[in-house]
Amino acid sequence: MVWLCGRQVHFAFEGSPMRELLEHLQQRSLLLSEGDLRRMVQALSRERDIWQAAGACERPFPHFVALLETLRDMRYLRVEGNTLEFTPEGLAALEHWGIALSPPVGGLCPSCSVGPAPLPELQTKFSQIAQARPSAALEFEQGFLTAESVIRRVAWLDRCGDLVQKEIVLLGDDDLLSVALALTGRPTQIVVFEIDQRLVDFLNDQARHNGWPLKAYQHDLRQPLPEKFLEKFDVFVTDPLETVEGFLLFVEQGLSALKPGAGQAGYFGLTKIEASPEKWRLFEQRLLGQYDLFISDIVRDFGVYENWPYLGETASQQSAFFSENPDRPWYRSTFFRIETLKEFQPPRCRSLGEEVDIYYDQDSIIKPRR
Amino acid sequence: MVWLCGRQVHFAFEGSPMRELLEHLQQRSLLLSEGDLRRMVQALSRERDIWQAAGACERPFPHFVALLETLRDMRYLRVEGNTLEFTPEGLAALEHWGIALSPPVGGLCPSCSVGPAPLPELQTKFSQIAQARPSAALEFEQGFLTAESVIRRVAWLDRCGDLVQKEIVLLGDDDLLSVALALTGRPTQIVVFEIDQRLVDFLNDQARHNGWPLKAYQHDLRQPLPEKFLEKFDVFVTDPLETVEGFLLFVEQGLSALKPGAGQAGYFGLTKIEASPEKWRLFEQRLLGQYDLFISDIVRDFGVYENWPYLGETASQQSAFFSENPDRPWYRSTFFRIETLKEFQPPRCRSLGEEVDIYYDQDSIIKPRR
């Protein structure tokens, strides 16, 4: 890790596969962290047009210029007109850095240019596997995303540079996102922590059968993640409970699993149906106030949920208006993405006892009956 | 305004057209602010299906249930099966509250369900008018959105409930967003503050010619908005400069124009090309730390810019790599939306002297030459 303020610079590159590049940039008086650099190079590796790469690299233009010139000086990159090309030496360097020259899994939506283009083949494969899933259990507040929404999440991770050659951890996975991620063949490793033994068995069976780099563990998130999984991942994804305690518990466990420093990403769903705007503010303030990270994406109605079997019963307890079941999906969540900055340090989470009610508060649809 | 904590409740409804409804809800021990209530009723007025309305109302389910039952008790609303219908008394109340029963300007993208569906007719009309626009001026750091991006913003405001019968203020408008907003016929009032007299004249000519409720004023945003425009608007939109001083100046002037209390919205574009992730964090922290609001949307690559005439000259000063002009748009910005909460108080902005450099910093593409 390199700090812009000048501390800890000279020995910070040790052990980094990008050390040589970082030192070259330092000679140009540009102190970038490895995480920032990695993201810029990743974008470069996906764009052949120099201007499009400048637009896609998500870092300031002057840094992009310095990176280009440095890669050229190192003979890793050629530019002709507006066209970028890595040299054979450059390609070897990309491999050494763990950055694959692979095309994106999907593209931008051809109709609106805002969302990711649908991936019908992936969705079909996913749906076939998901047919055999265990049903949603009230005991764990389960309710799962439509197949379309699961695939949309995969496409979004890819668009944000968080899929290819990444180590991804999922905290809870009744949506079977891990299956869809594995089907792309892009992540290096996928680890799932899930409280429901039925799901754990289902995922491990699938992984074994298909030879995926996926492993699921039975785990109650009121306990911290096992030591050996802390500070190890590039990306986490979770759908937190939406009580204040529940939200913080899930998201901070996710943060605890990320590598320190810049460029790691966390994703979580959040609804307005069970979390008031005041809670949104609290969550946003907490994340920005406690951790060196920023919120990069908040995409509304990104996740749509299949209607779950125990919905009618619980909603009609609140009002007779809701005695007829919905005829199509209606429950939806916003998808958040956060990205870590240079001085990010993963938190160490405490254990929450079983007596803490993380499931229900005044915004919940379902009222406690345990 | 009503505060959930119980202060200032009994006299707070006075002068509010929604007073009766607020009092009914209070009898059910539910203290909602008028802004929250307005947003829920707005969503209700757009959905015929009770479950879809619950999903779209952006407030917790228990509040939605209480609202429905109250409207039913007041004989404003009927529910049959899953179908909602306002009674004639209910329709009169909606009119009294300033909530129109009008269909949305557009729908959800039929392909990806994430972005807004394109609006080709509106875009064609807009492009015809925009043909006669003044060209981008380096003096004011101008560079404008593609027509497609402008229309996308209109559709997004509509989707977020910030178009119909709203009073909207734009701080800077070289994109001509005001024209596209006016073409929908939905906002009650559109006010533009713009430093470039050529644009001000263009907009006022168009408004006069077309009979739009649009008025543009020549104004340097280093000065606070004129007193009579403070605390008057439902919505602001701006594309701030991306230096720290420039960003805060534009966005806080926008906030100063919003009505106090919950439910007002602000939109702004922010790039990663000229603002580092560290700056994003600073901006987000500042907004959440200083004001009672939350960030509801951050949509990447939402705004794409036409290439501007002085780009080649300035970029090639940074590197010979950029001596050929781009052959298609590449410069992009993320679109943010914030929404105010109950205790939101618009700030009073100070004047910035001309000596403060709000235009350039180390992340800028263009280097100062003044």
Side-chain angles (χ1 to χ4, degrees), chain A residues 8-240:
Chain A
Q8 291 214 339
V9 172
H10 290 284
F11 54 89
F13 307 141
E14 271 175 38
S16 159
M18 297 182 121
R19 194 182 62 183
E20 195 191 351
L21 180 55
L22 284 160
E23 282 172 353
H24 268 85
L25 284 162
Q26 195 183 337
Q27 285 160 19
R28 301 175 63 104
S29 312
L30 189 65
L31 300 180
L32 283 175
S33 74
E34 184 180 331
D36 286 312
L37 190 55
R38 184 171 288 279
R39 290 214 161 257
M40 291 167 78
V41 175
Q42 240 177 281
L44 251 183
S45 75
R46 283 196 170 186
E47 295 283 349
R48 300 262 299 161
D49 180 277
I50 193 171
W51 289 101
Q52 294 303 319
C57 94
E58 307 203 348
R59 293 297 182 273
F61 191 76
H63 294 188
F64 178 71
V65 168
L67 172 65
L68 279 186
E69 297 192 339
T70 305
L71 289 173
R72 188 233 3 232
D73 294 347
M74 294 171 82
R75 298 176 194 278
Y76 285 175
L77 191 75
R78 268 194 299 265
V79 182
E80 274 188 53
N82 283 343
T83 306
L84 297 165
E85 197 179 8
F86 280 94
T87 62
E89 295 81 4
L91 293 173
L94 285 180
E95 201 180 324
H96 178 57
W97 298 335
I99 295 172
L101 256 191
S102 54
V105 165
L108 213 51
C109 172
S111 172
C112 72
S113 305
V114 175
L119 298 168
E121 266 184 58
L122 184 60
Q123 190 173 324
T124 303
K125 274 193 220 165
F126 173 78
S127 296
Q128 278 163 0
I129 293 175
Q131 273 175 352
R133 72 197 307 160
S135 60
L138 172 57
E139 185 188 355
F140 305 119
E141 276 271 288
Q142 289 172 345
F144 50 77
L145 290 167
T146 63
E148 191 188 350
S149 297
V150 172
I151 302 306
R152 202 181 286 144
R153 284 192 173 186
V154 173
W156 200 256
L157 261 70
D158 187 41
R159 178 168 176 197
C160 298
D162 295 319
L163 182 71
V164 180
Q165 285 190 297
K166 298 294 177 185
E167 298 178 294
I168 304 176
V169 62
L170 310 186
L171 307 184
D173 192 24
D174 49 340
D175 303 314
L176 308 184
L177 176 64
S178 62
V179 170
L181 291 168
L183 280 169
T184 67
R186 304 298 178 93
T188 315
Q189 192 196 4
I190 305 165
V191 172
V192 175
F193 293 100
E194 167 58 54
I195 195 168
D196 184 349
Q197 187 66 49
R198 300 173 309 154
L199 280 166
V200 171
D201 293 340
F202 178 78
L203 294 176
N204 286 329
D205 285 349
Q206 290 295 330
R208 222 174 358 252
H209 181 252
N210 294 287
W212 292 331
L214 160 65
K215 178 94 179 115
Y217 298 88
Q218 203 275 340
H219 183 79
D220 181 340
L221 285 168
R222 278 172 292 203
Q223 304 302 321
L225 299 182
E227 188 77 19
K228 70 169 181 166
F229 294 105
L230 299 178
E231 310 197 6
K232 291 286 186 296
F233 293 89
D234 301 300
V235 179
F236 78 82
V237 187
T238 190
D239 281 291

Side-chain angles (χ1 to χ4, degrees), chain B residues 44 167 247 321 324:
Chain B
L44 252 184
E167 299 179 293
F247 176 87
F321 279 146
E324 282 192 26

Side-chain angles (χ1 to χ4, degrees), chain A residues 33 35-37 39-40 56-60 156 160-162 234 236 247 251 255 258 261-268 283-298 335-345, chain B residues 242 247 268 270-288 295 297-301 333-336 363:
Chain A
S33 74
D36 286 312
L37 190 55
R39 290 214 161 257
M40 291 167 78
C57 94
E58 307 203 348
R59 293 297 182 273
W156 200 256
C160 298
D162 295 319
D234 301 300
F236 78 82
F247 175 88
V251 174
L255 291 172
L258 294 184
Q264 281 63 262
Y267 293 82
F268 56 88
F283 296 156
E284 292 174 348
Q285 274 184 324
R286 167 80 171 229
L287 289 174
L288 291 163
Q290 302 266 83
Y291 304 103
D292 198 33
L293 55 79
F294 70 107
I295 308 174
S296 69
D297 301 74
I298 303 181
F335 205 35
F336 274 69
R337 178 178 181 275
I338 51 148
E339 188 178 313
T340 62
L341 298 172
K342 306 187 272 307
E343 304 198 17
F344 170 71
Q345 285 298 335
Chain B
E242 301 196 348
F247 176 87
F268 55 88
L270 185 62
T271 77
K272 290 179 182 132
I273 302 174
E274 299 195 76
S276 66
E278 284 75 17
K279 246 195 242 171
W280 277 50
R281 176 173 190 241
L282 185 91
F283 297 157
E284 292 174 348
Q285 274 184 325
R286 167 80 172 228
L287 289 173
L288 290 163
I295 307 174
D297 301 74
I298 303 181
V299 196
R300 65 172 62 206
D301 303 346
S333 72
T334 295
F335 204 37
F336 274 69
D363 295 342

Side-chain angles (χ1 to χ4, degrees), chain A residues 4 36 47 49-56 58-65 68-69 72 77-82 108-118 148 152 156 159-160 272-278 280-281 284-285 287-302 311-312 315 318-332 334 336-337 339 341-342 362-365 367, chain B residues 4 36 47 49-56 58-65 68-69 72 77-82 108-118 148 152 156 159-160 272-278 280-281 284-285 287-302 311-312 315 318-332 334 336-337 339 341-342 362-365 367:
Chain A
L4 267 181
D36 286 312
E47 295 283 349
D49 180 277
I50 193 171
W51 289 101
Q52 294 303 319
E58 307 203 348
R59 293 297 182 273
F61 191 76
H63 294 188
F64 178 71
V65 168
L68 279 186
E69 297 192 339
R72 188 233 3 232
L77 191 75
R78 268 194 299 265
V79 182
E80 274 188 53
N82 283 343
L108 213 51
C109 172
S111 172
C112 72
S113 305
V114 175
E148 191 188 350
R152 202 181 286 144
W156 200 256
R159 178 168 176 197
C160 298
K272 289 178 182 134
I273 302 174
E274 300 196 74
S276 66
E278 285 74 17
W280 276 50
R281 176 171 190 242
E284 292 174 348
Q285 274 184 324
L287 289 174
L288 291 163
Q290 302 266 83
Y291 304 103
D292 198 33
L293 55 79
F294 70 107
I295 308 174
S296 69
D297 301 74
I298 303 181
V299 196
R300 64 172 61 206
D301 303 347
F302 197 83
L311 167 69
Q318 292 216 9
S319 167
F321 280 147
F322 293 93
S323 49
E324 282 192 26
N325 279 326
D327 60 2
R328 59 188 188 281
W330 66 282
Y331 191 90
R332 59 200 70 179
T334 296
F336 274 69
R337 178 178 181 275
E339 188 178 313
L341 298 172
K342 306 187 272 307
Q362 74 287 348
D363 295 341
S364 307
I365 290 191
K367 298 297 168 197
Chain B
L4 267 181
D36 285 312
E47 294 283 350
D49 181 277
I50 193 171
W51 289 102
Q52 295 303 317
E58 307 202 348
R59 294 297 183 273
F61 191 75
H63 293 189
F64 177 72
V65 168
L68 278 186
E69 297 194 337
R72 189 235 359 236
L77 191 75
R78 268 195 298 266
V79 182
E80 274 188 52
N82 283 344
L108 212 52
C109 173
S111 172
C112 72
S113 305
V114 175
E148 191 188 350
R152 202 181 286 146
W156 200 256
R159 177 168 177 198
C160 298
K272 290 179 182 132
I273 302 174
E274 299 195 76
S276 66
E278 284 75 17
W280 277 50
R281 176 173 190 241
E284 292 174 348
Q285 274 184 325
L287 289 173
L288 290 163
Q290 302 266 85
Y291 305 102
D292 198 33
L293 54 79
F294 70 107
I295 307 174
S296 69
D297 301 74
I298 303 181
V299 196
R300 65 172 62 206
D301 303 346
F302 197 84
L311 166 70
Q318 292 216 10
S319 167
F321 279 146
F322 292 91
S323 49
E324 282 192 26
N325 280 326
D327 60 3
R328 58 188 189 280
W330 67 281
Y331 191 90
R332 59 199 71 179
T334 295
F336 274 69
R337 179 179 181 274
E339 188 178 314
L341 298 171
K342 309 186 269 308
Q362 76 287 348
D363 295 342
S364 307
I365 290 190
K367 297 298 169 197

